[in-house]
Amino acid sequence: MKRSRLLTRLWEFQNKFGFISDNAILEIAQKLRVSKIEIEGVISFYHFFHRKPTGKYIIYLNNSIISEFKNFETVKVAFEKETGCTFGIYSDNPLFSLFETSCIGLSDQESAALINFYPFTNLTPKRVKKIVNHLKIGKDLSEIADNPTSKIHYTPNEEKTIFFRDYILGNALQNLNKNTPEGVLETLFKTKLKGHGGAFFSTGLKWKYCKESTSEKKYIICNADEGEPGTFKDKSLINNLPGLIIEGMVIAAFITGAKKGIIYLRTEYNYLLEKLQNTIAEFKEKGFLGKQICGIKNFNFNIKIQLGAGAYVCGAETGLIESLEGNRGEPRIRKYFPTEFGYLGYSTVVNNVETFAKAARIIELGADHFSKIGTENSKGTKIISVSGDVAKPGIYEVEWGITLKELLLLSHATAPYFVQISGPSGECINQAEFNRKICEEDLLCGGSVMVFNRYRSIIQIIENFINFFNKESCGACTPCRAGNQILLEKIKKIKRGICTTKDLNDIKEWGKIIALGSRCGLGQTSSNTLIMALDKFKDYFDLKVMSCDINCNIEFDMEAAVFDYDNLIKETQY
Ligand code: SF4
């Protein structure tokens, strides 16, 4: 057995027995000729593998901040009451096991849970009771699960829609036999296409590096491990336009000469697996995958799908490659780009779902069409997942350059006050910045906008984010592993009203240490929001510190301090 099959093999045991036993580990270790400890190490890295027996139904309840502000707590209590189990505790209950999990890509339909990876949305205690009763009497999960489709809202000018327009399978690919790899690459360069996974690196350059590589084999990997909390746009693309993504991968193969492609699909989107498989089969049938694609001599390319197993950091390209190779998904030390040393040591292109879909549309519609849309550096449109305090949550395809204010109006935001762009690793925006433009020249957006009104607790939002990073840190770098824990302790001090000015300064210093000493994007960005919020919502934090300072002053001048404290509270309460 090849090491790269390890995740698939572990899933087979997990799905069949509900957990991975000592015997299973021994069997795998012998087949791979590695130690049992090494297999244990891989299993312990991923949230969805269990070493202890679980019930027939494993329930994962999403604990993202959007869910917290909906009815996470009451839904959690309801699940415990109806099943008789406790979250996070393995029991001998044969039917149910309960776990919390981070964002499952359903922020527009919270509170949400996965039951054996079937989606259940808009949960309330009443619905939980009904669902659990159905499961107790043996109803089929596929019959009672929800349709998790997100509502798609178009750009104000529908003519400028690029992604969510009519799609005909093969439309982009049919032009390949009239073109050369160099010509197709040139078209991508003209549109300044950049990766939409967060780094915004030039896609044309990345594919060019792989094309020019002398690597014996080459791989095209589609990162469908969209784990940034608040983001669900890639899910919508897979659900609505799976063919467009595959066409993008085929184009990448045409340019680079790669023969194999892999879609790394997060297990949270397991319900989309069949759709992807069917699309791949249809491509093969129509001659757009397999041998002599589009009748082009020696143009052979195939795609397989690999399921992840629950680890945010596998969204980082080298973490994802490690995971595909059957290892813990720890991001590599940046020594080589994947185009130099990628999957199994070969030249590899890794791009996310949206990038491949956009590349396909560029080849289908032409560079000129794109050049007319967007801004100088950000051509075309962007898909954004909007959630939180808005009347119309869902997917928005907007022209690059739209202002945040326009997007907030489109989504019917209710009293927006604190807006989080690009998930917890992105940046927080205050009301004074609502006129900023979403584009490379101003405010880059990876794909999510979470809106919070002025009645939401800022410290609760930030605590949820730092908690998330703490849980998802792979632990390889000490500053990330320990630093985020320290930030969490500081946040708890702020919440308890015992934070001092020194604590806030410490937070900034720790933020720098974590960012500088961390290997991957998780550590490099985990303190961003907290540190930005200290400046952008200064009044809010000043109040927290000042009330503590006054409490401290009580010892010295009780009368004056109490007077000041009362006034302060009256003036600054939200
Ligand atoms: Fe792991 Fe954090 Fe280091 Fe990234 S920064 S490699 S998540 S410890």
Side-chain angles (χ1 to χ4, degrees):
M1 181 174 110
K2 284 187 188 162
R3 175 75 186 241
S4 56
R5 274 201 32 83
L6 179 58
L7 248 58
T8 305
R9 194 75 187 108
L10 290 172
W11 268 122
E12 283 164 9
F13 282 108
Q14 175 65 49
N15 289 336
K16 191 167 176 189
F17 303 106
F19 76 115
I20 300 164
S21 66
D22 290 345
N23 284 343
I25 290 178
L26 182 65
E27 188 187 318
I28 295 172
Q30 283 172 346
K31 281 196 177 146
L32 283 178
R33 294 174 177 272
V34 298
S35 71
K36 287 192 290 178
I37 301 292
E38 205 171 328
I39 307 296
E40 289 266 18
V42 174
I43 294 169
S44 67
F45 185 82
Y46 299 95
H47 304 314
F48 298 135
F49 290 146
H50 298 276
R51 286 287 284 118
K52 291 182 184 167
T54 54
K56 182 178 174 189
Y57 301 108
I58 307 180
I59 299 172
Y60 294 104
L61 178 63
N62 175 25
N63 61 12
S64 72
I65 188 63
I66 303 292
S67 177
E68 254 186 45
F69 285 147
K70 285 283 169 65
N71 37 13
F72 170 77
E73 275 306 328
T74 53
V75 166
K76 182 177 172 181
V77 169
F79 267 123
E80 292 190 333
K81 182 172 167 240
E82 301 303 330
T83 61
C85 300
T86 307
F87 271 87
I89 306 284
Y90 291 93
S91 72
D92 53 8
N93 187 315
L95 270 188
F96 300 104
S97 294
L98 305 179
F99 299 97
E100 289 183 28
T101 192
S102 44
C103 187
I104 53 177
L106 294 167
S107 300
D108 54 338
Q109 301 162 68
E110 295 292 357
S111 288
L114 296 169
I115 304 181
N116 290 1
F117 297 105
Y118 284 91
F120 289 83
T121 59
N122 298 309
L123 293 171
T124 59
K126 209 170 152 190
R127 279 211 69 209
V128 167
K129 185 173 182 176
K130 203 170 161 190
I131 292 164
V132 172
N133 283 341
H134 279 157
L135 295 177
K136 281 180 181 169
I137 58 169
K139 279 214 172 178
D140 197 326
L141 265 173
S142 62
E143 280 171 23
I144 60 168
D146 291 320
N147 178 353
T149 304
S150 294
K151 175 126 181 71
I152 295 168
H153 308 270
Y154 293 89
T155 184
N157 183 348
E158 282 189 33
E159 278 174 23
K160 291 185 175 176
T161 300
I162 286 169
F163 291 96
F164 295 107
R165 57 195 292 149
D166 289 344
Y167 169 73
I168 298 168
L169 193 148
N171 247 7
L173 300 181
Q174 66 188 2
N175 296 325
L176 289 186
N177 50 12
K178 297 178 216 145
N179 217 325
T180 60
E182 291 75 17
V184 176
L185 196 55
E186 190 52 40
T187 308
L188 294 183
F189 275 122
K190 271 191 202 158
T191 62
K192 297 185 183 172
L193 176 64
K194 300 195 177 88
H196 282 47
F200 291 93
F201 185 78
S202 162
T203 307
L205 260 189
K206 190 184 273 191
W207 294 9
K208 183 172 180 272
Y209 290 153
C210 184
K211 173 179 165 50
E212 289 172 353
S213 164
T214 54
S215 179
E216 185 193 334
K217 292 181 189 170
K218 294 174 184 178
Y219 289 91
I220 306 296
I221 293 175
C222 174
N223 181 347
D225 193 37
E226 161 180 75
E228 192 68 45
T231 317
F232 44 94
K233 62 175 179 79
D234 287 351
K235 179 200 73 181
S236 288
L237 276 172
I238 300 169
N239 194 25
N240 293 286
L241 295 160
L244 200 60
I245 302 155
I246 291 168
E247 289 198 46
M249 293 179 74
V250 175
I251 291 165
F254 179 68
I255 291 173
T256 59
K259 302 270 178 262
K260 287 184 181 166
I262 306 171
I263 299 174
Y264 186 91
L265 180 69
R266 71 189 305 229
T267 312
E268 290 89 336
Y269 295 166
N270 193 39
Y271 49 86
L272 296 173
L273 177 63
E274 199 179 323
K275 185 167 268 188
L276 273 175
Q277 286 168 333
N278 291 342
T279 310
I280 289 173
E282 200 180 347
F283 266 65
K284 280 184 185 163
E285 240 173 64
K286 296 190 171 164
F288 292 121
L289 275 177
K291 292 194 171 160
Q292 318 272 15
I293 295 171
C294 301
I296 302 170
K297 205 174 163 199
N298 292 331
F299 182 21
N300 309 329
F301 182 63
N302 270 311
I303 295 176
K304 70 170 188 175
I305 304 169
Q306 173 66 59
L307 274 182
Y312 165 77
V313 78
C314 287
E317 61 182 5
T318 57
L320 186 149
I321 289 171
E322 286 292 319
S323 179
L324 280 173
E325 290 179 356
N327 303 322
R328 290 166 64 85
E330 289 173 7
R332 294 173 179 172
I333 294 169
R334 234 323 161 218
K335 205 169 167 190
Y336 300 103
F337 287 111
T339 47
E340 298 167 284
F341 188 89
Y343 179 57
L344 303 174
Y346 298 111
S347 180
T348 304
V349 160
V350 184
N351 277 116
N352 83 332
V353 163
E354 190 179 355
T355 313
F356 283 119
K358 199 168 188 180
R361 283 294 196 210
I362 288 171
I363 302 308
E364 178 191 343
L365 302 170
D368 291 345
H369 182 96
F370 269 75
S371 304
K372 287 184 264 169
I373 306 171
T375 66
E376 180 55 31
N377 293 337
S378 303
K379 300 282 181 211
T381 59
K382 175 81 191 103
I383 308 177
I384 301 179
S385 333
V386 181
S387 61
D389 293 315
V390 293
K392 293 168 80 177
I395 296 293
Y396 286 78
E397 181 178 351
V398 295
E399 185 174 0
W400 280 113
I402 188 175
T403 64
L404 181 57
K405 193 174 175 181
E406 285 168 324
L407 183 59
L408 292 171
L409 284 171
L410 275 177
S411 56
H412 293 207
T414 47
Y417 183 67
F418 181 110
V419 178
Q420 186 68 22
I421 306 285
S422 304
S425 65
E427 78 179 273
C428 58
I429 300 292
N430 62 23
Q431 287 174 316
E433 300 176 280
F434 284 178
N435 278 325
R436 288 182 67 181
K437 290 183 171 178
I438 298 175
C439 58
E440 189 180 322
E441 294 90 330
D442 187 1
L443 183 61
L444 261 179
C445 176
S448 100
V449 169
M450 291 191 276
V451 182
F452 303 102
N453 67 34
R454 62 163 53 246
Y455 306 105
R456 303 298 187 192
S457 158
I458 292 176
I459 203 65
Q460 189 181 343
I461 297 168
I462 291 169
E463 184 183 28
N464 181 288
F465 290 174
I466 300 289
N467 240 326
F468 165 76
F469 289 124
N470 256 306
K471 286 187 187 135
E472 296 295 338
S473 167
C474 77
C477 322
T478 308
C480 174
R481 187 180 64 241
N484 282 309
Q485 188 57 46
I486 290 166
L487 292 183
L488 199 55
E489 293 307 319
K490 296 285 182 194
I491 288 168
K492 283 181 183 154
K493 277 184 90 175
I494 298 174
K495 276 182 82 181
R496 286 163 60 206
I498 55 167
C499 164
T500 62
T501 308
K502 182 180 176 308
D503 287 313
L504 296 193
N505 291 335
D506 285 352
I507 286 174
K508 291 182 181 171
E509 287 308 308
W510 271 110
K512 281 186 215 157
I513 294 168
I514 300 168
L516 282 173
S518 290
R519 185 190 296 180
C520 85
L522 187 153
Q524 287 157 7
T525 59
S526 62
S527 57
N528 278 0
T529 299
L530 171 56
I531 289 170
M532 281 183 193
L534 292 181
D535 288 333
K536 294 188 182 186
F537 298 87
K538 194 169 179 304
D539 291 354
Y540 177 90
F541 286 97
D542 278 351
L543 171 64
K544 306 271 175 198
V545 175
M546 285 161 76
S547 37
C548 171
D549 285 348
I550 289 161
N551 283 336
C552 297
N553 287 340
I554 286 170
E555 271 181 64
F556 308 103
D557 188 351
M558 178 76 82
E559 239 184 283
V562 170
F563 174 75
D564 282 353
Y565 180 77
D566 285 349
N567 266 337
L568 207 88
I569 293 294
K570 268 186 224 149
E571 281 169 20
T572 47
Q573 256 184 2
Y574 294 120

